[in-house]
Amino acid sequence: MIPVMAAQGRRYACFGEEESAMSRRKRVRKIIFIVILAVLMLLLTVYINHQLRLNAEAELRLPLGQMVGVEGHNMSIYVDGTGETTLVFMSGGGTCSPILDFKSLYSLLSGKYQIAVVEKFGYGFSDVVDKSRDIDSILEDTRTALAAAGLNAPYVLCPHSMSGLEALYWAQKYPDEVSAIIGLDMAVPEYYDSMTINIPLMRAAGWAAHLGVTRFIPGISDSDAIQHGTLSETEKEIYRALFFSRTATVTMLNEMERVKENAEKVDSLGVPQLPMLLFLSDGSGGTGFDKETWRKIPIQYLSQVEGGEYIELDCPHYVHDYEYKVISEQIIAFLLAR
């Protein structure tokens, strides 16, 4: 009888262990379900808060310039100043408010020149559009917007960062429309040979921005223009409102997905020959390059331009938000000497 009782005891023990394991699995599943539900509820709360804030900020997002029709969508363009020469300011990748980003600089130039700031689709007050961002599409959008605003070529192009590719391509494809390029720490094709572009991370940032998660990150909306430029308090509030509605938009992400291909196309067409002045930063502020490499690449590029000039500035990548006085003086001198 003892062996039988022992066997039964073992069976009861096994049954008890199985029941205990099942109970633990149930508790774990319940905990996981509660955590997932809590996260979803939190995200829903964050999203609702974001939508309410967007509605409250609607007046801050009323266009500062004019809206023109391009390919059936609205594109924002800001025009100011007078003069026979038109300076076209072109923003870098991801700059949420180009009009305000360049203001510290162009406000010092509008007394002598006509200035125009074109906000590409997905930027500033322009529509967010899920469309191709190959270099030809980007350029044709810009040209169409300028024409719709009543501006005529030739233009002096003033590109910052990634829009340097568009400016160079413009000079290659339509040389009669570009009288000079003044690069505000602008990109040249070689930068993109070794640049790492993490699209999944950018899409995650876009997802977080769409939900409104970014509103809970202290100081994230305080751009270089806000911290170091000459914007008024009202303009700073407008900039912040635009930041929360124009961060990592689908149009911007499409642009980043094509940037290496765009750089290769620009590079294949050679170096355009026209008056060119490049302002170079120290590489800090998000370029991903050390100071020596960041400056060496555009200097080598400029060495192929007859009469090309460059000026080194000891400031981060958004040079026009730091050294706007120096840059404005040098632009005036450069254009007067032409």
Side-chain angles (χ1 to χ4, degrees):
M1 294 297 295
I2 293 176
V4 173
M5 293 178 63
Q8 289 177 338
R10 284 195 296 273
R11 284 198 296 272
Y12 293 147
C14 289
F15 291 151
E17 289 174 2
E18 289 179 6
E19 185 177 353
S20 178
M22 290 178 61
S23 178
R24 284 196 298 270
R25 285 195 293 270
K26 287 181 179 178
R27 285 198 300 271
V28 170
R29 286 195 293 267
K30 184 176 181 180
I31 291 171
I32 292 174
F33 174 76
I34 292 172
V35 170
I36 292 174
L37 183 61
V39 170
L40 291 176
M41 290 299 294
L42 176 61
L43 291 177
L44 179 60
T45 301
V46 168
Y47 180 72
I48 292 173
N49 172 72
H50 181 48
Q51 295 303 310
L52 292 173
R53 295 286 295 277
L54 287 176
N55 289 335
E57 294 161 354
E59 288 192 10
L60 291 173
R61 297 195 306 275
L62 294 175
L64 292 175
Q66 57 182 299
M67 305 298 288
V68 297
V70 177
E71 296 266 324
H73 302 284
N74 293 316
M75 183 174 282
S76 164
I77 181 168
Y78 180 84
V79 181
D80 193 15
T82 57
E84 296 180 0
T85 301
T86 301
L87 310 183
V88 177
F89 288 85
M90 307 159 69
S91 69
T95 301
C96 64
S97 178
I99 290 173
L100 293 177
D101 183 59
F102 286 121
K103 188 174 188 298
S104 297
L105 176 57
Y106 67 65
S107 62
L108 299 176
L109 296 165
S110 58
K112 292 181 176 293
Y113 310 102
Q114 184 173 61
I115 65 95
V117 183
V118 178
E119 297 191 312
K120 295 177 288 187
F121 287 128
Y123 291 71
F125 301 101
S126 294
D127 289 349
V128 175
V129 181
D130 190 358
K131 61 178 294 188
S132 174
R133 293 289 78 191
D134 61 275
I135 193 71
D136 284 280
S137 296
I138 295 172
L139 175 56
E140 295 312 316
D141 287 348
T142 300
R143 295 177 67 244
T144 301
L146 288 167
L151 302 179
N152 300 310
Y155 308 112
V156 174
L157 305 182
C158 302
H160 172 242
S161 195
M162 189 167 69
S163 64
L165 296 177
E166 183 185 351
L168 293 171
Y169 188 59
W170 199 338
Q172 292 165 339
K173 191 172 182 180
Y174 304 106
D176 293 339
E177 294 184 7
V178 184
S179 59
I181 293 177
I182 298 174
L184 303 171
D185 214 27
M186 78 176 201
V188 296
E190 189 180 340
Y191 278 132
Y192 296 96
D193 291 344
S194 58
M195 186 179 293
T196 300
I197 300 174
N198 192 330
I199 297 298
L201 181 61
M202 291 182 179
R203 291 202 177 281
W207 177 80
H210 178 69
L211 285 178
V213 175
T214 49
R215 288 187 182 274
F216 295 90
I217 303 176
I220 192 173
S221 63
D222 286 349
S223 65
D224 288 345
I226 288 177
Q227 296 184 65
H228 304 284
T230 59
L231 300 182
S232 67
E233 289 305 314
T234 298
E235 288 168 338
K236 290 178 182 180
E237 288 304 307
I238 294 172
Y239 201 118
R240 293 186 181 102
L242 287 169
F243 174 86
F244 291 117
S245 66
R246 291 295 184 271
T247 294
T249 63
V250 65
T251 328
M252 293 176 181
L253 294 174
N254 291 347
E255 191 175 40
M256 292 307 300
E257 285 186 331
R258 298 295 293 270
V259 68
K260 283 183 175 287
E261 180 183 330
N262 290 340
E264 290 174 2
K265 185 167 188 177
V266 174
D267 191 42
S268 70
L269 296 176
V271 180
Q273 297 300 313
L274 75 167
M276 199 176 297
L277 169 65
L278 304 185
F279 293 95
L280 310 180
S281 77
D282 60 15
S284 63
T287 68
F289 290 81
D290 61 79
K291 179 178 179 178
E292 181 181 357
T293 304
W294 181 254
R295 288 184 173 176
K296 180 178 67 176
I297 290 174
I299 290 174
Q300 289 177 340
Y301 186 89
L302 199 60
S303 68
Q304 303 171 74
V305 179
E306 185 177 353
E309 304 175 33
Y310 68 89
I311 296 174
E312 296 180 341
L313 301 170
D314 292 321
C315 67
H317 183 44
Y318 278 73
V319 292
H320 47 280
D321 290 325
Y322 291 85
E323 297 291 350
Y324 40 87
K325 291 182 180 179
V326 172
I327 293 173
S328 66
E329 292 169 357
Q330 293 297 329
I331 286 176
I332 292 171
F334 173 72
L335 294 178
L336 286 175
R338 288 177 53 239

